[in-house]
PDB file of all heavy atoms in Angstrom:
ATOM      1  N   VAL J  29     -47.936 105.250  84.229  1.00  0.00           N
ATOM      2  CA  VAL J  29     -47.830 103.810  84.486  1.00  0.00           C
ATOM      3  C   VAL J  29     -46.439 103.513  85.050  1.00  0.00           C
ATOM      4  O   VAL J  29     -45.432 103.911  84.455  1.00  0.00           O
ATOM      5  CB  VAL J  29     -48.053 103.007  83.193  1.00  0.00           C
ATOM      6  CG1 VAL J  29     -47.793 101.515  83.430  1.00  0.00           C
ATOM      7  CG2 VAL J  29     -49.472 103.226  82.673  1.00  0.00           C
ATOM      8  N   PRO J  30     -46.337 102.817  86.181  1.00  0.00           N
ATOM      9  CA  PRO J  30     -45.019 102.518  86.747  1.00  0.00           C
ATOM     10  C   PRO J  30     -44.297 101.426  85.960  1.00  0.00           C
ATOM     11  O   PRO J  30     -44.868 100.367  85.691  1.00  0.00           O
ATOM     12  CB  PRO J  30     -45.337 102.062  88.172  1.00  0.00           C
ATOM     13  CG  PRO J  30     -46.739 101.530  88.096  1.00  0.00           C
ATOM     14  CD  PRO J  30     -47.444 102.349  87.052  1.00  0.00           C
ATOM     15  N   PHE J  31     -43.050 101.683  85.596  1.00  0.00           N
ATOM     16  CA  PHE J  31     -42.265 100.687  84.877  1.00  0.00           C
ATOM     17  C   PHE J  31     -40.787 101.032  85.009  1.00  0.00           C
ATOM     18  O   PHE J  31     -40.412 102.150  85.353  1.00  0.00           O
ATOM     19  CB  PHE J  31     -42.666 100.625  83.401  1.00  0.00           C
ATOM     20  CG  PHE J  31     -42.254 101.828  82.577  1.00  0.00           C
ATOM     21  CD1 PHE J  31     -41.149 101.776  81.732  1.00  0.00           C
ATOM     22  CD2 PHE J  31     -42.966 103.020  82.656  1.00  0.00           C
ATOM     23  CE1 PHE J  31     -40.766 102.871  80.977  1.00  0.00           C
ATOM     24  CE2 PHE J  31     -42.589 104.130  81.899  1.00  0.00           C
ATOM     25  CZ  PHE J  31     -41.486 104.050  81.060  1.00  0.00           C
ATOM     26  N   GLU J  32     -39.972 100.039  84.712  1.00  0.00           N
ATOM     27  CA  GLU J  32     -38.522 100.236  84.641  1.00  0.00           C
ATOM     28  C   GLU J  32     -38.106 100.147  83.184  1.00  0.00           C
ATOM     29  O   GLU J  32     -38.585  99.281  82.447  1.00  0.00           O
ATOM     30  CB  GLU J  32     -37.804  99.160  85.453  1.00  0.00           C
ATOM     31  CG  GLU J  32     -36.291  99.192  85.334  1.00  0.00           C
ATOM     32  CD  GLU J  32     -35.618  98.015  86.009  1.00  0.00           C
ATOM     33  OE1 GLU J  32     -36.310  97.289  86.771  1.00  0.00           O
ATOM     34  OE2 GLU J  32     -34.419  97.790  85.769  1.00  0.00           O
ATOM     35  N   ASP J  33     -37.227 101.035  82.747  1.00  0.00           N
ATOM     36  CA  ASP J  33     -36.739 100.921  81.379  1.00  0.00           C
ATOM     37  C   ASP J  33     -35.269 100.521  81.379  1.00  0.00           C
ATOM     38  O   ASP J  33     -34.493 100.934  82.234  1.00  0.00           O
ATOM     39  CB  ASP J  33     -36.981 102.193  80.564  1.00  0.00           C
ATOM     40  CG  ASP J  33     -36.071 103.342  80.955  1.00  0.00           C
ATOM     41  OD1 ASP J  33     -35.724 103.454  82.137  1.00  0.00           O
ATOM     42  OD2 ASP J  33     -35.714 104.141  80.073  1.00  0.00           O
ATOM     43  N   VAL J  34     -34.917  99.673  80.424  1.00  0.00           N
ATOM     44  CA  VAL J  34     -33.548  99.180  80.273  1.00  0.00           C
ATOM     45  C   VAL J  34     -33.130  99.452  78.832  1.00  0.00           C
ATOM     46  O   VAL J  34     -33.782  98.983  77.892  1.00  0.00           O
ATOM     47  CB  VAL J  34     -33.454  97.674  80.573  1.00  0.00           C
ATOM     48  CG1 VAL J  34     -32.028  97.175  80.347  1.00  0.00           C
ATOM     49  CG2 VAL J  34     -33.906  97.381  81.995  1.00  0.00           C
ATOM     50  N   VAL J  35     -32.054 100.206  78.666  1.00  0.00           N
ATOM     51  CA  VAL J  35     -31.554 100.542  77.334  1.00  0.00           C
ATOM     52  C   VAL J  35     -30.523  99.505  76.894  1.00  0.00           C
ATOM     53  O   VAL J  35     -29.558  99.236  77.616  1.00  0.00           O
ATOM     54  CB  VAL J  35     -30.921 101.939  77.309  1.00  0.00           C
ATOM     55  CG1 VAL J  35     -30.317 102.240  75.930  1.00  0.00           C
ATOM     56  CG2 VAL J  35     -31.943 103.007  77.685  1.00  0.00           C
ATOM     57  N   ILE J  36     -30.747  98.929  75.725  1.00  0.00           N
ATOM     58  CA  ILE J  36     -29.757  98.049  75.082  1.00  0.00           C
ATOM     59  C   ILE J  36     -29.404  98.705  73.749  1.00  0.00           C
ATOM     60  O   ILE J  36     -30.224  98.726  72.834  1.00  0.00           O
ATOM     61  CB  ILE J  36     -30.301  96.629  74.874  1.00  0.00           C
ATOM     62  CG1 ILE J  36     -30.712  96.018  76.214  1.00  0.00           C
ATOM     63  CG2 ILE J  36     -29.260  95.755  74.178  1.00  0.00           C
ATOM     64  CD1 ILE J  36     -31.262  94.611  76.107  1.00  0.00           C
ATOM     65  N   PRO J  37     -28.209  99.254  73.609  1.00  0.00           N
ATOM     66  CA  PRO J  37     -27.898 100.068  72.421  1.00  0.00           C
ATOM     67  C   PRO J  37     -27.656  99.236  71.177  1.00  0.00           C
ATOM     68  O   PRO J  37     -27.296  98.063  71.241  1.00  0.00           O
ATOM     69  CB  PRO J  37     -26.624 100.805  72.834  1.00  0.00           C
ATOM     70  CG  PRO J  37     -25.974  99.883  73.816  1.00  0.00           C
ATOM     71  CD  PRO J  37     -27.107  99.234  74.576  1.00  0.00           C
ATOM     72  N   PHE J  38     -27.861  99.894  70.028  1.00  0.00           N
ATOM     73  CA  PHE J  38     -27.545  99.290  68.738  1.00  0.00           C
ATOM     74  C   PHE J  38     -26.038  99.462  68.506  1.00  0.00           C
ATOM     75  O   PHE J  38     -25.616 100.320  67.744  1.00  0.00           O
ATOM     76  CB  PHE J  38     -28.292  99.987  67.606  1.00  0.00           C
ATOM     77  CG  PHE J  38     -29.768 100.120  67.799  1.00  0.00           C
ATOM     78  CD1 PHE J  38     -30.403 101.330  67.580  1.00  0.00           C
ATOM     79  CD2 PHE J  38     -30.541  99.044  68.193  1.00  0.00           C
ATOM     80  CE1 PHE J  38     -31.779 101.466  67.736  1.00  0.00           C
ATOM     81  CE2 PHE J  38     -31.913  99.157  68.350  1.00  0.00           C
ATOM     82  CZ  PHE J  38     -32.533 100.381  68.129  1.00  0.00           C
ATOM     83  N   ASP J  39     -25.225  98.654  69.163  1.00  0.00           N
ATOM     84  CA  ASP J  39     -23.792  98.882  69.062  1.00  0.00           C
ATOM     85  C   ASP J  39     -23.087  97.888  68.148  1.00  0.00           C
ATOM     86  O   ASP J  39     -21.881  97.746  68.182  1.00  0.00           O
ATOM     87  CB  ASP J  39     -23.133  98.886  70.448  1.00  0.00           C
ATOM     88  CG  ASP J  39     -23.443  97.641  71.262  1.00  0.00           C
ATOM     89  OD1 ASP J  39     -24.134  96.764  70.747  1.00  0.00           O
ATOM     90  OD2 ASP J  39     -22.989  97.562  72.418  1.00  0.00           O
ATOM     91  N   PHE J  40     -23.872  97.216  67.299  1.00  0.00           N
ATOM     92  CA  PHE J  40     -23.313  96.348  66.272  1.00  0.00           C
ATOM     93  C   PHE J  40     -24.026  96.679  64.962  1.00  0.00           C
ATOM     94  O   PHE J  40     -25.186  97.129  64.989  1.00  0.00           O
ATOM     95  CB  PHE J  40     -23.524  94.867  66.605  1.00  0.00           C
ATOM     96  CG  PHE J  40     -22.753  94.398  67.807  1.00  0.00           C
ATOM     97  CD1 PHE J  40     -23.278  94.548  69.086  1.00  0.00           C
ATOM     98  CD2 PHE J  40     -21.504  93.813  67.657  1.00  0.00           C
ATOM     99  CE1 PHE J  40     -22.574  94.119  70.199  1.00  0.00           C
ATOM    100  CE2 PHE J  40     -20.798  93.381  68.770  1.00  0.00           C
ATOM    101  CZ  PHE J  40     -21.317  93.534  70.039  1.00  0.00           C
ATOM    102  N   PRO J  41     -23.379  96.462  63.794  1.00  0.00           N
ATOM    103  CA  PRO J  41     -24.021  96.794  62.522  1.00  0.00           C
ATOM    104  C   PRO J  41     -25.383  96.137  62.330  1.00  0.00           C
ATOM    105  O   PRO J  41     -26.285  96.708  61.731  1.00  0.00           O
ATOM    106  CB  PRO J  41     -23.006  96.302  61.480  1.00  0.00           C
ATOM    107  CG  PRO J  41     -21.693  96.385  62.174  1.00  0.00           C
ATOM    108  CD  PRO J  41     -21.975  96.027  63.619  1.00  0.00           C
ATOM    109  N   ALA J  42     -25.552  94.932  62.847  1.00  0.00           N
ATOM    110  CA  ALA J  42     -26.823  94.210  62.686  1.00  0.00           C
ATOM    111  C   ALA J  42     -27.675  94.258  63.939  1.00  0.00           C
ATOM    112  O   ALA J  42     -28.566  93.446  64.124  1.00  0.00           O
ATOM    113  CB  ALA J  42     -26.551  92.770  62.292  1.00  0.00           C
ATOM    114  N   GLY J  43     -27.423  95.234  64.808  1.00  0.00           N
ATOM    115  CA  GLY J  43     -28.186  95.331  66.044  1.00  0.00           C
ATOM    116  C   GLY J  43     -27.337  95.005  67.244  1.00  0.00           C
ATOM    117  O   GLY J  43     -26.220  95.481  67.386  1.00  0.00           O
ATOM    118  N   ASN J  44     -27.814  94.137  68.089  1.00  0.00           N
ATOM    119  CA  ASN J  44     -27.079  93.742  69.284  1.00  0.00           C
ATOM    120  C   ASN J  44     -27.491  92.307  69.616  1.00  0.00           C
ATOM    121  O   ASN J  44     -28.690  92.020  69.754  1.00  0.00           O
ATOM    122  CB  ASN J  44     -27.405  94.682  70.445  1.00  0.00           C
ATOM    123  CG  ASN J  44     -26.546  94.435  71.670  1.00  0.00           C
ATOM    124  OD1 ASN J  44     -26.275  93.301  72.034  1.00  0.00           O
ATOM    125  ND2 ASN J  44     -26.140  95.504  72.340  1.00  0.00           N
ATOM    126  N   PRO J  45     -26.528  91.389  69.758  1.00  0.00           N
ATOM    127  CA  PRO J  45     -26.881  89.994  70.063  1.00  0.00           C
ATOM    128  C   PRO J  45     -27.714  89.844  71.326  1.00  0.00           C
ATOM    129  O   PRO J  45     -28.475  88.885  71.462  1.00  0.00           O
ATOM    130  CB  PRO J  45     -25.517  89.315  70.218  1.00  0.00           C
ATOM    131  CG  PRO J  45     -24.572  90.157  69.436  1.00  0.00           C
ATOM    132  CD  PRO J  45     -25.081  91.570  69.577  1.00  0.00           C
ATOM    133  N   ARG J  46     -27.626  90.809  72.239  1.00  0.00           N
ATOM    134  CA  ARG J  46     -28.410  90.726  73.481  1.00  0.00           C
ATOM    135  C   ARG J  46     -29.905  90.799  73.224  1.00  0.00           C
ATOM    136  O   ARG J  46     -30.704  90.346  74.040  1.00  0.00           O
ATOM    137  CB  ARG J  46     -28.000  91.852  74.432  1.00  0.00           C
ATOM    138  CG  ARG J  46     -26.613  91.686  75.049  1.00  0.00           C
ATOM    139  CD  ARG J  46     -26.332  92.823  76.021  1.00  0.00           C
ATOM    140  NE  ARG J  46     -27.298  92.845  77.109  1.00  0.00           N
ATOM    141  CZ  ARG J  46     -27.524  93.947  77.852  1.00  0.00           C
ATOM    142  NH1 ARG J  46     -26.883  95.069  77.595  1.00  0.00           N
ATOM    143  NH2 ARG J  46     -28.400  93.892  78.837  1.00  0.00           N
ATOM    144  N   PHE J  47     -30.295  91.392  72.080  1.00  0.00           N
ATOM    145  CA  PHE J  47     -31.722  91.487  71.789  1.00  0.00           C
ATOM    146  C   PHE J  47     -32.378  90.113  71.759  1.00  0.00           C
ATOM    147  O   PHE J  47     -33.533  89.946  72.148  1.00  0.00           O
ATOM    148  CB  PHE J  47     -31.952  92.196  70.452  1.00  0.00           C
ATOM    149  CG  PHE J  47     -31.574  93.654  70.437  1.00  0.00           C
ATOM    150  CD1 PHE J  47     -31.362  94.315  69.241  1.00  0.00           C
ATOM    151  CD2 PHE J  47     -31.429  94.373  71.604  1.00  0.00           C
ATOM    152  CE1 PHE J  47     -31.015  95.651  69.209  1.00  0.00           C
ATOM    153  CE2 PHE J  47     -31.076  95.711  71.583  1.00  0.00           C
ATOM    154  CZ  PHE J  47     -30.874  96.354  70.384  1.00  0.00           C
TER     155      PHE J  47
END
Side-chain angles (χ1 to χ4, degrees):
V29 174
F31 71 102
E32 174 187 348
D33 73 327
V34 177
V35 176
I36 301 180
F38 308 132
D39 54 2
F40 293 86
N44 187 319
R46 289 182 61 201
F47 293 161

